[in-house]
Amino acid sequence: MKTSNLLLSTTRETPADAVVISHQLMLRAGLVRPLAGGLYNWLPLGLRVLRKVEGIVRDEMERAMSQEILMPVVQPMELWEESGRANDYGPELLRIKDRHGREFALGPTHEEIITDLVRKEIRSYKQLPINFFQIQTKFRDEIRPRFGVMRSREFIMKDAYSFHMDTDCLEKTYQTMFEAYNRIFTRLGLDFRPVQADTGSIGGEASHEFHVLADSGEDDIAFSTQSDFAANVELAEAIAPRSARAEATAIVEKVATPNAHSIAEVQSCLRVKTKKILKTLLVQGATEETPVVALVVRGDHTLNEIKAEKLDLVAEPFTLATDEQIFASAGCKAGSIGPVGLSIPVIVDRTAFNSSDFICGANEDDFHLTGVNWDRDAKATLVADIRNVVKGDPSPCGQGKIEIKRGIEVGHIFQLGNKYSTALNATVLNENSRAQVLEMGCYGIGITRIVAAVIEQNNDEKGIIWPESIAPFQVCIVPMQMHKSPRTEEAVMAMYKTLTEMGVEVLLDDRKERPGVMFNDMELIGIPHRIVIGERGLDKGQIEYKHRRDEKAQDIPEDEFMNFLKEKLNLA
RNA sequence: CGGGAUGUAGCGCAGUUUGGUAGCGCACCACACUGGGGGUGUGGUGGUCGCAGGUUCAAAUCCUGUCUUCCCGACCA
């Protein structure tokens, strides 16, 4: 490819509304252009990278015995009603009607479609296990698209779905996918970690997310400082304190805390540490007998809604109590609630239950209680893990302490079980000629997001630094004064022809630009290998080479150059 | 959905306070010089000032509404 035939839309200035580095560089390098909120055009250079990512994913999926198919973006609503997700999925599901008034949705994921396909096509246990994947556009009407293609509304995803007669078989495929994912992200040159994850709205049992470590990530990942343990903070267990609770030494006293409603306000009002204060939150209960439930965590901790939601007493989805309910249950406004004397169920976090002589709301506006103790002054209906882990907590694996880093979720694998196969009645005949519901796994990779994630981890002040595996071109040739020097032109064209015939993806910058412009553009778009050819070198019988990551260029004798380059390209 | 910003040429911005001929840099086009790190000069192209309505002799500027984009929040006891 020659730059004269390529839309090379680089810009010197960074568009003002791009915040993260990958978004800035994708715009500056001319990979993508915004169309509307969360919608992007992919320009030729960006698409070349996207296709490379797809290629690696496809290659490894096929190696892992998954078969490629393609399912429609537009999906009939009936299937969503059949699975029950028409109600559950909410406003992220973009619904549309055709000319006949029939309802459809733009697919945010394809569990319903694949399950429908499989129930129609697969008849016998002899055909199982089977694993299908597709690389397809998804649409999710995100609350807040941001960071360019990192969180866009339309995006490309690889999604795979496996079907099994039993959970043992599912677990084997899950493990195969786990290994395939590790190979994929390794080939993509990413610094990543598999982490234990919550299954979220998609449902199911076991689940791992694959996260690219980057400060711009939107997820918090909890790591152990001493083991391989890694889990999304949504899931990471906050283990019970090992030490016994200290003896009660104080008596309960009611103190005025005018206008102090938040933990921070109470803290500054009473001049105590936040960990001495317990906060009590009222939420919707699961049953009519317990319409409101109290949740208690320590002032320096935050409630984990996902953990809370899983408790039998707590309504799903997690919903805070209304002001009316709070007044009816506690006799005060939010901000002055405490566990003492409440007649509703009180669920206490394990760590909060280890506090003694603590401070909490007095269930009377603008008053708090000090010197409160569990059992003596307040009863816990249930003690459970309902908070987020924080840095320094003991790791649930038993080794080391928790450390928290930001991650970009680029892959997610689930053991779904039979949620969808049951809902859609996807069965096959087993050895006994009996219909049996299928076990199901699903495995996603965010293709477009990966492009951004790679850039987040591979850039410098000059621009993008592509890993070899997904660079839009492996090599660029930058000629010096080619329009004035027939000798240079001859050498450049010969090099271009040789490399092209070798099957190397080479970009020849044949624009009549100044050297500085060409150097800067090639560095901005991140081509790994650079060859400079000019009279200066030719006079000495030399050709210049520089890797994008090299500090300095080196001059190589002409007759050794091809062997030198082959070694650099791993073609030797 | 709540809060805060923002919108003027492809990009980055000034002009709005105090109403009076729409500007600058980059990019783009032409020519000349230059030629190993975004060079210089001369001359150009390009804008319904987000949109709609209002006030006024006169609106980018004041008023009302509306939309876009971006940021923060959606944990608050």
Side-chain angles (χ1 to χ4, degrees), chain A residues 53-118:
Chain A
V53 176
E54 288 179 5
I56 289 173
V57 171
R58 180 174 285 119
D59 188 45
E60 292 295 342
M61 289 305 291
E62 285 177 349
R63 193 204 288 209
M65 308 309 280
S66 187
Q67 306 175 52
E68 185 165 12
I69 58 170
L70 188 60
M71 295 180 273
V73 177
V74 176
Q75 312 179 352
M77 276 307 296
E78 289 96 84
L79 285 176
W80 284 78
E81 269 144 29
E82 208 176 336
S83 73
R85 285 207 294 183
N87 291 324
D88 299 350
Y89 214 88
E92 273 186 32
L93 186 66
L94 184 65
R95 294 152 206 250
I96 52 175
K97 280 186 185 172
D98 70 5
R99 58 166 63 185
H100 306 295
R102 205 178 150 199
E103 292 198 12
F104 291 88
L106 290 188
T109 176
H110 281 76
E111 282 80 13
E112 282 81 1
I113 313 304
I114 189 71
T115 307
D116 177 62
L117 180 68
V118 163

Side-chain angles (χ1 to χ4, degrees), chain A residues 140-176:
Chain A
R140 293 180 187 172
D141 202 354
E142 295 280 349
I143 298 176
R144 182 143 88 94
R146 58 179 151 180
F147 302 159
V149 300
M150 196 99 86
R151 180 171 293 281
S152 52
R153 294 196 293 173
E154 186 178 303
F155 58 98
I156 296 173
M157 182 170 172
K158 185 286 298 177
D159 47 326
Y161 307 89
S162 67
F163 295 86
H164 315 265
M165 292 305 284
D166 56 58
T167 52
D168 283 355
C169 181
L170 168 58
E171 276 166 28
K172 272 183 201 152
T173 298
Y174 185 84
Q175 188 58 32
T176 304

Side-chain angles (χ1 to χ4, degrees), chain A residues 119-131:
Chain A
R119 73 177 166 183
K120 289 171 176 163
E121 298 299 323
I122 306 295
R123 292 283 136 76
S124 160
Y125 74 95
K126 294 174 191 167
Q127 291 171 284
L128 299 179
I130 199 159
N131 187 349

